[in-house]
Amino acid sequence: VDSLNQWGILFAQMDTLGNVINQKTYTDTTGDDYIFEKDYSLIHTSDDGYLITGNLCDKNWGFMVKLDSQGELEFLQEYPDTIEYIRNYHFKKVIELSDGYLIDGTKQINDYTSKTFVLKTDLNGNQIWEKKYGNLTQSNPIGSIQYIDENTYVIGSGNSHFPFSSPYSYAEDWVQGKIFAIDSLGNIKWEWESELNVESLVIGLKKTDNNEYIYTTGEMIIPNFYTVEGKRKVIKRDSNFNLIWSLDISPSSTPINSSYDIQPSTDGNYVVIGNWATPDSTAVNPLYGWYG
């Protein structure tokens, strides 16, 4: 909104030819900016409405907004942390429950490590409880959350040594995939961790109908003391987390390879979305080629 000099929320609906048939804009009444980062949630709710998660720039905490089927505002709730000082908030995902919503994301706490959090709200977005997950001196970001039943939610996460610092070495710098389940009160029911470096953050985790797990992740590679690179892959594991198969999907290892989600397709396969650099021997800036 140019006249306000603010970043706001634009909600737009289009027909199948891309013609805009409805749009609404919302800005923060205190003058703050609304921020949405890659792979943040926009979900269609059971009452034909929409639920969106994001962050506020100046206040530096998260929010959730509920819109009806036409984009009219039903509520917008903000969630400052009242327990401890948070350096950065990332309110990433939200899922709908019968009695409210679960928001999950990452918070960077005062020691600069990142911790996975899950926040439970009622149907009006009022906070009921919040819990953080992770280990001391490690970063533990969030990759995904999946509803299994009313008392089981499976979370894709990860562990990594903090801080990464040059010169890099496998003895000092490492990443690890992590999957754990929580109950309806946020208590951990079980957890599993991968071997070091062969997997990183578990993203887009899906538990299949035959109790297998499929997700996208990354392998960390240290080609020299001053560079950390990664290869993206898709992993499938059985119900006991034994490896069924692993598929490399990135054309080469670079520092900026990433994957954001994996979803089942209508033909029984899967679709993965992400970014990586296309190798270019003449590239100077960016060093590893074009990012796409």
Side-chain angles (χ1 to χ4, degrees):
V1 181
D2 292 339
S3 60
L4 297 176
N5 194 31
Q6 280 180 261
W7 288 100
I9 298 168
L10 167 64
F11 174 85
Q13 292 169 308
M14 290 156 282
D15 65 17
T16 54
L17 297 176
N19 301 304
V20 177
I21 56 177
N22 177 37
Q23 62 178 318
K24 302 284 192 304
T25 58
Y26 298 99
T27 51
D28 179 57
T29 57
T30 67
D32 209 339
D33 295 310
Y34 293 124
I35 298 172
F36 302 102
E37 299 186 47
K38 59 180 181 288
D39 199 30
Y40 275 30
S41 278
L42 163 61
I43 67 169
H44 192 192
T45 56
S46 59
D47 61 357
D48 202 28
Y50 299 92
L51 208 62
I52 310 169
T53 54
N55 303 321
L56 285 151
C57 181
D58 294 333
K59 296 173 186 173
N60 190 28
W61 58 62
F63 71 90
M64 178 172 65
V65 60
K66 176 70 161 55
L67 307 175
D68 68 14
S69 61
Q70 298 303 305
E72 297 292 341
L73 182 66
E74 293 188 2
F75 68 74
L76 192 153
Q77 295 277 13
E78 299 181 13
Y79 304 100
D81 196 305
T82 59
I83 304 301
E84 61 183 308
Y85 173 71
I86 304 298
R87 294 185 178 275
N88 284 292
Y89 293 72
H90 300 278
F91 272 58
K92 188 173 184 181
K93 294 292 187 181
V94 59
I95 59 175
E96 182 180 12
L97 310 176
S98 60
D99 60 347
Y101 307 101
L102 273 187
I103 304 171
D104 75 344
T106 301
K107 293 185 177 182
Q108 186 184 44
I109 62 176
N110 199 31
D111 66 0
Y112 293 94
T113 61
S114 296
K115 304 300 177 188
T116 290
F117 77 88
V118 177
L119 188 153
K120 171 71 182 295
T121 79
D122 63 19
L123 289 170
N124 294 314
N126 299 302
Q127 181 173 333
I128 297 174
W129 55 258
E130 180 196 319
K131 292 198 174 182
K132 298 182 182 74
Y133 307 92
N135 304 314
L136 293 175
T137 72
Q138 295 180 15
S139 281
N140 308 98
I142 184 73
S144 55
I145 185 169
Q146 182 185 13
Y147 171 92
I148 304 298
D149 57 49
E150 288 288 350
N151 197 44
T152 309
Y153 312 95
V154 178
I155 296 172
S157 182
N159 305 324
S160 63
H161 174 262
F162 183 85
F164 268 41
S165 59
S166 176
Y168 303 109
S169 73
Y170 289 113
E172 295 292 335
D173 305 292
W174 54 267
V175 294
Q176 182 180 41
K178 181 175 182 177
I179 299 172
F180 65 99
I182 60 172
D183 63 18
S184 60
L185 297 177
N187 302 306
I188 293 178
K189 299 178 69 172
W190 53 260
E191 52 189 338
W192 169 87
E193 295 174 337
S194 75
E195 297 179 20
L196 297 183
N197 300 326
V198 296
E199 294 184 27
S200 56
L201 177 63
V202 173
I203 297 172
L205 177 68
K206 302 289 184 297
K207 186 176 183 181
T208 65
D209 292 339
N210 57 350
N211 292 321
E212 295 174 341
Y213 295 90
I214 189 166
Y215 54 92
T216 178
T217 185
E219 177 181 352
M220 188 181 80
I221 299 169
I222 301 177
N224 56 63
F225 289 136
Y226 304 102
T227 307
V228 175
E229 299 180 348
K231 295 179 67 175
R232 306 309 298 178
K233 58 175 69 175
V234 177
I235 299 289
K236 194 168 191 180
R237 295 185 177 274
D238 66 18
S239 57
N240 293 316
F241 296 100
N242 298 304
L243 182 66
I244 299 175
W245 51 257
S246 173
L247 174 68
D248 289 334
I249 58 174
S250 51
S252 62
S253 60
T254 77
I256 55 178
N257 286 339
S258 56
S259 49
Y260 301 137
D261 202 6
I262 179 171
Q263 293 286 346
S265 60
T266 55
D267 58 3
N269 296 307
Y270 291 89
V271 176
V272 186
I273 188 169
N275 287 106
W276 49 63
T278 301
D280 182 353
S281 60
T282 65
V284 177
N285 187 20
L287 180 63
Y288 287 85
W290 299 108
Y291 193 48

